[in-house]
Every structure is written in structure tokens, then in C-alpha cells.
Amino acid sequence: MNRNVFKGLGIGFFIILLSLLAMYLGLARYYSDGFSYETWINGIYCTGKGIEEVNEELLKQCDYAGLTIIDSDGKSYVVSTEDVDFHFDFKNALTLFLKQQNPYLWIDNLIGGKKDRVLEPDVWYDKDVYEGIINGFPFFERLEESVGRLEIIKGETGYSLLNERLHILNEERARETIKKAFESLEPVVDLEASGCYENLPLTAEMLETLSLWEKLKEYQDCGIVYQFGEESYPVDGAVVCDFLLMDDAGNFVFDNDGNLCTDNDKVYEFVDRLADEYDTVGGSRQFRATRGDIVTVEGGIYGNKIDREAEKAYLLSAFLEKRKEVHEPVYTQTAARQGKDDIGDTYIEVDMTNQMMYYYEAGELKIETPVVTGNTSLRRGTPTGTNYVYNKQRNRVLRGEDYASPVKYWIPVKGAIGIHDASWRSTYGGQIYIRNGSHGCINTPLEQVSQLYDMVEIGTPCVMFY
């Protein structure tokens, strides 16, 4: 009984084994004309399919229009497949891969699971047209222009380093990278990320230039900023590059410690130029008159005047000590505000052509009145210029060679020239000043001059013009 059972089991097992073998060999026969079990190529399931069929499917999924090349500046350039008559297929790669597969070992794929094989196509394109397009790209043209210089140059912002040894495109590597990407159907290649840029080696002379540049860079690192009211003037590299001491041959001079030397006289010359630019006493101003036009007003005693000697001592010391600070210059005379626009919005305006006087306070017109200025027929015309109220007096007698005139309000603006009432006059404005004008002062109606006296402060600018 037991023997029959074992015999039956053996026969059954043998039949099953023969069935499995037949099935295995049948599948091997099936895979002999196509790709083996669980074959994936470039994301496409290829089991049992032939080379032609798989090639067609691979071509359909490849919609390749060309390669976009990105250089280190982030600019893009394109090699279009259409321009170079580009075409491709996978037949050779598929044929080689199929030959490598043994249909009788299809079970390896079953055991190993899904494996996606990546195959590259064979490509064809017009090499001459391709080279012409590549050679025309600006990053290769710039490479031809570069001579790999490393030198110190002086420009509008001071000394700077021209270094053409850094981040240079390696032409051979770039061409190889682009070609490989194009033939691999890659849509984009970044030359920077692909390592196509490099630094060129330096000669001994270039290393000396770099050492000098470090000293110049430190020398030009000045953090002093002159403040003129709302205006600022940085003493930056464009300024301090001219402070350097040079020998007769135009070379830098160094001290015993190898540091760059400063020419004190050049520092002083800069202060003089700065004062010439920002000193406004006696200068020329563009002023918008109440009558509507812009007039040029020259001369006068109002304005800012920098203490040049104090500033020369300050700047030389502060620069050598490498201070970083905002500095308001010392003045020998100051206006209501600093900077080139020093008049502000509170001022007296005397329009001698129209014989009118105006007083503005914080930009608002407070007083408007006709006046009588100096007698021009006797060459006593009131002088033009930007002056200021330097005093105020009540009940004063104004005296000259041929007159003694008592006035209730006296507001001097330049020497003996001032604004005052004139009890001897009953009319103002018009053409009175030509034949019957003052000795040079601004005669003003009593009511208006009394208002002005109470409102105006000492130091207020007085703009006088024809």
C-alpha cells in the first residue's frame, strides 16, 4: 500500500515537473523572437516585442526639438534639430541588447523583478552646420577675445583689478559636453553646473600684482562720508585713489613696512575742491522768482563757508586712522541750511525789476508789498545778491553824507543796505526807483515793514535781484 502511494506520488511529481519544463521551454521559445520577460527599456514595456516594434514605440515617446545651452551669465542658446537635419533611432542599441539576452534565462527577470534598461539611440545630423552654429555662440566668441590678463587699472571708481584668469570657459570640455548632451537627446545643458569653467594658473608676476591689489583695496576702503544738510559726499575709492604718493616715474611709494604712502598735499587739495563745491558765500544761485521765471543771483554775504584748515587736519587724520563715520564739516560761516540749496523755504525776496518784496515762511507767502529800491539814475541802485538779516533795530536814525533819516524799523541785510520804513514816501512800486529811489536801501510801507520786523528772524536769507 505504502509502495503504491509513493509510486503514485512520484509519477505525479514527474508529470508536474515535465509540465513546468514544457511551459518554461515554451516561454523561452516565445521570448526567442522578442525581448525577455519583464524587459523595460527607457520606460517602455518590451516583453515579447521585436526590435522594430520597440524602436517605433521609443521613437514616438522622443519628441526632441533640440538642445538649450545655458552659460554662466544665465543666457540661453539653442541648437535646433531642424537646423542640422537631426534624426535618430534605437535599432542598433536594441539589436545589441537583444543579443545579450538568453531566452532560456528569462526566469532571472522573474526573480530579479522589474529593471528598466536605458538605451541611447544612434543619431545623425549635419556636422558642418552644427559646428557653424556652435562657433557662433557668444561664450566662444568672448573666449577668443580674452587674453587672460591680470592687471590693476585706474578708472572712475578708483583702482580696480582686471582679472581674466578667473572663471574661464574650458573650450574643449564645453564642446564635448554640448555634443554629448545633444547626441543623448538632453533638452538642457548648464555649462556652469557641468564644470566647464575653470581658473587659469598664475605666473609669479601675476601673484605680485595680486599682492599689490590687496594693499590698494585696503587703502581705498574708506568709510568717511561728508554730510552737507541732506546731501552726502562719500570719500570713496574714486576720491582716495588720488591720495597715493607717487614717485617721479609714476610708481607707488611704500614705507619701511611695505604699506602704501599718502601724499598729504593731495588730501588738502581734495578739501579745497570740496569747499569750492559746497561753499555758497558770494556764489551763484539759481532762484525761482515769484514772478515765475528762474533768475541767476550772484554774490552776496549769505551762505556756508567751510573752515578749510580745520577740515584738512580732520580728513588727513581720519583717513590715516581708517575711521568709518559720517562727518559734518566745520564752518566759519553757516546759512539757514547746509548743502548747495541753502536758502530753504523761509526767505525774503526783493524783485527790483518789479519793485516788489515778498516774505515766505515755511513755503507760505506771508507778506507781499511794493517797495522802492536804490536810485539807478544816480548809480545808487540796490546791489543784487543773496544776503541775510544780520540785525534788527527799532527807532534808528540812518545817516549818510547828505542825509539823516529817522526810521521806526531797521532790518539790515548787507552792510548799510537794509529794509526800513520811509515816512517821507506816500507811494511805492512802479518806476519811482529810477529817478527818485533810495540811497540803496529797500523803502517799505510802514504796515508791511512792521509785520516783517515781528516775523523775520536774524539769519533769514534775503534774495535780491533785477
Side-chain angles (χ1 to χ4, degrees), residues 153-160 213 220 236-239 241-242:
I153 57 177
K154 186 178 181 183
E156 294 182 356
T157 60
Y159 288 100
S160 61
W213 165 242
Q220 292 183 147
D236 53 19
V239 174
C241 67
D242 291 326

Side-chain angles (χ1 to χ4, degrees), residues 109-148:
N109 289 349
L110 177 65
I111 297 173
K114 175 183 176 181
K115 293 180 182 179
D116 194 352
R117 180 68 175 266
V118 177
L119 296 182
E120 299 291 341
D122 290 325
V123 300
W124 297 269
Y125 56 93
D126 191 320
K127 300 294 194 301
D128 292 334
V129 175
Y130 168 86
E131 288 296 330
I133 294 173
I134 293 295
N135 292 337
F137 289 151
F139 47 80
F140 284 134
E141 292 177 357
R142 289 196 299 267
L143 190 65
E144 294 175 359
E145 295 171 359
S146 175
V147 294

Side-chain angles (χ1 to χ4, degrees), residues 220-240:
Q220 292 183 147
D221 182 21
C222 182
I224 300 168
V225 178
Y226 269 93
Q227 194 69 38
F228 301 95
E230 297 180 356
E231 302 174 40
S232 60
Y233 193 113
V235 185
D236 53 19
V239 174
V240 303

Side-chain angles (χ1 to χ4, degrees), residues 231 233 272-280 308 340:
E231 302 174 40
Y233 193 113
D272 284 330
R273 291 195 302 272
L274 192 67
D276 289 341
E277 183 174 351
Y278 282 93
D279 279 355
T280 56
R308 301 189 181 214
K340 296 175 182 177

Side-chain angles (χ1 to χ4, degrees), residues 85-377:
D85 190 24
F86 185 94
H87 55 282
F88 59 94
D89 71 32
F90 292 84
K91 289 181 180 179
N92 287 339
L94 290 170
T95 301
L96 290 175
F97 181 43
L98 184 59
K99 287 181 178 179
Q100 294 172 3
Q101 286 191 330
N102 187 334
Y104 295 99
L105 297 180
W106 61 266
I107 196 170
D108 286 347
N109 289 349
L110 177 65
I111 297 173
K114 175 183 176 181
K115 293 180 182 179
D116 194 352
R117 180 68 175 266
V118 177
L119 296 182
E120 299 291 341
D122 290 325
V123 300
W124 297 269
Y125 56 93
D126 191 320
K127 300 294 194 301
D128 292 334
V129 175
Y130 168 86
E131 288 296 330
I133 294 173
I134 293 295
N135 292 337
F137 289 151
F139 47 80
F140 284 134
E141 292 177 357
R142 289 196 299 267
L143 190 65
E144 294 175 359
E145 295 171 359
S146 175
V147 294
R149 293 177 298 170
L150 190 149
E151 60 186 67
I152 296 169
I153 57 177
K154 186 178 181 183
E156 294 182 356
T157 60
Y159 288 100
S160 61
L161 182 69
L162 173 64
N163 191 348
E164 295 177 343
R165 313 292 293 181
L166 297 176
H167 203 251
I168 304 301
L169 183 68
N170 184 312
E171 182 175 2
E172 182 179 353
R173 191 181 306 160
R175 289 182 180 276
E176 181 181 343
T177 299
I178 294 170
K179 184 173 184 291
K180 181 179 179 182
F182 186 57
E183 294 182 354
S184 299
L185 279 64
E186 294 182 21
V188 179
V189 62
D190 188 327
L191 297 180
E192 180 82 60
S194 300
C196 294
Y197 292 85
E198 62 185 4
N199 296 338
L200 301 181
L202 302 177
T203 65
E205 183 179 356
M206 290 176 178
L207 291 173
E208 290 180 3
T209 300
L210 280 179
S211 177
L212 174 58
W213 165 242
E214 290 301 319
K215 294 180 180 180
L216 282 169
K217 186 167 62 172
E218 181 181 1
Y219 187 90
Q220 292 183 147
D221 182 21
C222 182
I224 300 168
V225 178
Y226 269 93
Q227 194 69 38
F228 301 95
E230 297 180 356
E231 302 174 40
S232 60
Y233 193 113
V235 185
D236 53 19
V239 174
V240 303
C241 67
D242 291 326
F243 292 174
L244 286 160
L245 183 64
M246 315 288 278
D247 61 20
D248 294 338
N251 299 313
F252 301 117
V253 177
F254 299 87
D255 62 17
N256 293 332
D257 296 324
N259 299 314
L260 292 161
C261 294
T262 298
D263 189 330
N264 295 1
D265 289 337
K266 291 180 180 178
V267 178
Y268 302 153
E269 289 171 5
F270 167 73
V271 172
D272 284 330
R273 291 195 302 272
L274 192 67
D276 289 341
E277 183 174 351
Y278 282 93
D279 279 355
T280 56
V281 176
S284 177
R285 294 174 175 82
Q286 298 297 302
F287 178 78
R288 179 172 290 279
T290 301
R291 67 194 185 199
D293 59 337
I294 295 178
V295 296
T296 300
V297 184
E298 297 184 356
I301 62 173
Y302 176 80
N304 297 295
K305 192 172 184 63
I306 294 174
D307 186 334
R308 301 189 181 214
E309 295 308 312
E311 287 309 309
K312 288 175 182 179
Y314 159 77
L315 183 56
L316 181 61
S317 174
F319 174 68
L320 293 177
E321 293 171 8
K322 292 298 179 183
R323 297 187 215 166
K324 295 186 180 297
E325 58 192 17
V326 177
H327 173 72
E328 294 184 5
V330 178
Y331 295 91
T332 58
Q333 177 182 323
T334 56
R337 57 195 286 181
Q338 281 64 60
K340 296 175 182 177
D341 180 13
D342 58 354
I343 294 177
D345 55 9
T346 297
Y347 57 87
I348 301 168
E349 175 186 344
V350 182
D351 180 348
M352 292 179 285
T353 295
N354 293 322
Q355 291 292 284
M356 291 292 295
M357 183 177 74
Y358 309 91
Y359 173 63
Y360 287 88
E361 187 174 275
E364 182 179 352
L365 180 61
K366 296 291 187 179
I367 297 174
E368 178 178 3
T369 179
V371 294
V372 176
T373 60
N375 190 319
T376 55
S377 66

